[in-house]
Structures are given as C-alpha cells and as structure tokens.
Amino acid sequence: DTAVSQTPKYLVTQMGNDKSIKCEQNLGHDTMYWYKQDSKKFLKIMFSYNNKELIINETVPNRFSPKSPDKAHLNLHINSLELGDSAVYFCASSPTYRADGGYTFGSGTRLTVV
Amino acid sequence: TQLLEQSPQFLSIQEGENLTVYCNSSSVFSSLQWYRQEPGEGPVLLVTVVTGGEVKKLKRLTFQFGDARKDSSLHITAAQPGDTGLYLCAGVANSGYALNFGKGTSLLVTP
C-alpha cells in the first residue's frame, strides 16, 4: 500500500488552463504539505494543512489554491497556468505539525506547461 | 535567503571511495534531517539528528549534528553504485514549523 499517493504522475497542459493535483495519505498523519521542486532540484514549501486547517501559506501566487476535505487528503488547484509553473510538485505528510518527526513524500507530479 | 547551504553541489566518485557531504547554516535548528531522492521519486527520510554533537550510523552512512546545532555532515564509507542519488538536508528553524531544504548534493557512484 502506497503511504502518500499523488495523481496524476505526469501532467502536460497549455498555458491558461486550470488543473488539479490530488494527494492522499493512509498513514493517519495530522499534517500535509505541498512542495515545489524546480529544475535545479530545490524544494520549496508552498502550503501546509494541519487537521484540515491551513497553517502555512508561503508567498505563492493566488492562482494556487489548496483544499483539504479531510486530514487524509490535500489537493492543489492551479488556475490560469503559466510557463513558470512547470516543475515537479510533491505532496508530503508528517505525524504532527512539528516537522521534527520527518516527512513521508509522494512520488511527485511533473507538471509541464506548454 | 537560503537557510541551509550544502556542499559540494555535485560529486562523482568511483565505487569503494569515501565521501563527505556538508550542510551548513547560520541558524540554529531544533533538528536536522537527511533525505535521499532517486530520479522520478520523492525524497526518502534517512535519519533525523536532534542533539548537538550527535552521531548516528546507518550501515555505511554516518551522520553528525554540529555541537551548536547549525550544521551537519553525512559521510559514506566505501560508496556503492546504489548510493547514487540526490542527498538533501532539511531542518526546522527554532521559530518555524515546515522543513526548509538545502539545494542538495547530487552523488554519482560509478562501478
């Protein structure tokens, strides 16, 4: 059983489109995250939810909107996609909001905007 | 501002060699974590170090946390091709919650 699963694995879309990425964890963790990994492999935090509540909202364009229907799911919706949004997006979870316990990552969604 | 600086950025060695990767910061961290990421996959947690001066061993990998909790190192003994990957250090600054990642060290071990 996959602990943190993201769909889709690959997403190719045109500029201006709206797309969503889904994430689910079956670890019973309280906290979930979205990270963006750029072409130089740098991982940057975007959002974090703890028990369905937004606790971290980094400087991200408001075209990005996370949604957490329950603590096992964290989805990411992106409006009006731009070329610069091309990256690998990772979902992760941790037992509590204190990240000291370590993260479990999904396998990533490679988004390509053309 | 990059909280965690990793060096070297790239490392290409032959099987059997030893290597050390460094993770440095001017900030104090409550803990530091090391992850390994393989192509097409997410990072996988290797170890968490919590106490200043702590040393942890994971088979041929030795992790050390600096006394002042501002830096860490990863030493690999007798590297193998299976060690190839991107090594990332990450930490939670005392005032924050989410992990901040270094830019990573890309290791290639050739037979």
Side-chain angles (χ1 to χ4, degrees):
Chain A
D1 285 345
T2 304
V4 179
S5 58
Q6 295 178 229
T7 54
K9 176 77 172 173
Y10 300 96
L11 188 50
V12 181
T13 188
Q14 289 188 321
M15 275 196 311
N17 283 351
D18 303 338
K19 290 293 178 186
S20 291
I21 307 171
K22 295 186 175 182
C23 180
E24 175 182 3
Q25 56 97 1
N26 63 6
L27 298 166
H29 287 173
D30 285 345
T31 313
M32 296 184 72
Y33 310 83
W34 279 111
Y35 275 80
K36 179 180 180 180
Q37 189 170 47
D38 61 23
S39 58
K40 295 184 178 179
K41 305 296 185 185
F42 179 52
L43 271 165
K44 187 171 168 57
I45 181 74
M46 299 174 69
F47 301 104
S48 174
Y49 272 74
N50 184 62
N51 274 319
K52 302 191 298 177
E53 290 194 18
L54 181 67
I55 59 171
I56 295 173
N57 185 355
E58 289 295 306
T59 308
V60 176
N62 58 15
R63 298 181 294 104
F64 290 78
S65 52
K67 281 191 171 53
S68 181
D70 55 62
K71 76 172 193 176
H73 296 84
L74 180 60
N75 304 322
L76 184 64
H77 187 76
I78 315 170
N79 289 325
S80 303
L81 278 155
E82 300 178 358
L83 292 176
D85 298 331
S86 296
V88 182
Y89 292 84
F90 284 100
C91 176
S93 71
S94 63
T96 72
Y97 66 90
R98 295 222 33 107
D100 298 46
Y103 288 2
T104 303
F105 281 86
S107 59
T109 296
R110 180 173 292 277
L111 172 64
T112 304
V113 183
V114 296
Chain B
T1 304
Q2 179 63 29
L3 278 180
L4 289 164
E5 299 287 344
Q6 283 189 243
S7 61
Q9 189 177 355
F10 299 100
L11 196 49
S12 180
I13 61 172
Q14 289 197 312
E15 183 175 3
E17 292 184 23
N18 301 331
L19 66 114
T20 302
V21 175
Y22 299 93
C23 176
N24 296 298
S25 176
S26 56
S27 300
V28 175
F29 289 88
S30 58
S31 68
L32 275 180
Q33 300 171 19
W34 286 92
Y35 291 77
R36 179 168 67 214
Q37 183 179 14
E38 298 188 17
E41 296 297 327
V44 175
L45 179 66
L46 296 174
V47 79
T48 301
V49 284
V50 179
T51 307
E54 181 177 8
V55 176
K56 279 192 175 178
K57 292 195 174 186
L58 187 66
K59 296 184 181 177
R60 294 175 294 100
L61 278 60
T62 302
F63 304 85
Q64 187 161 7
F65 200 11
D67 291 341
R69 306 204 328 268
K70 293 183 178 181
D71 56 85
S72 181
S73 63
L74 157 60
H75 182 79
I76 302 179
T77 304
Q80 299 178 0
D83 296 326
T84 292
L86 178 69
Y87 288 81
L88 296 157
C89 69
V92 182
N94 279 336
S95 59
Y97 293 111
L99 281 178
N100 293 288
F101 282 83
K103 291 190 175 182
T105 294
S106 185
L107 172 65
L108 174 64
V109 183
T110 52

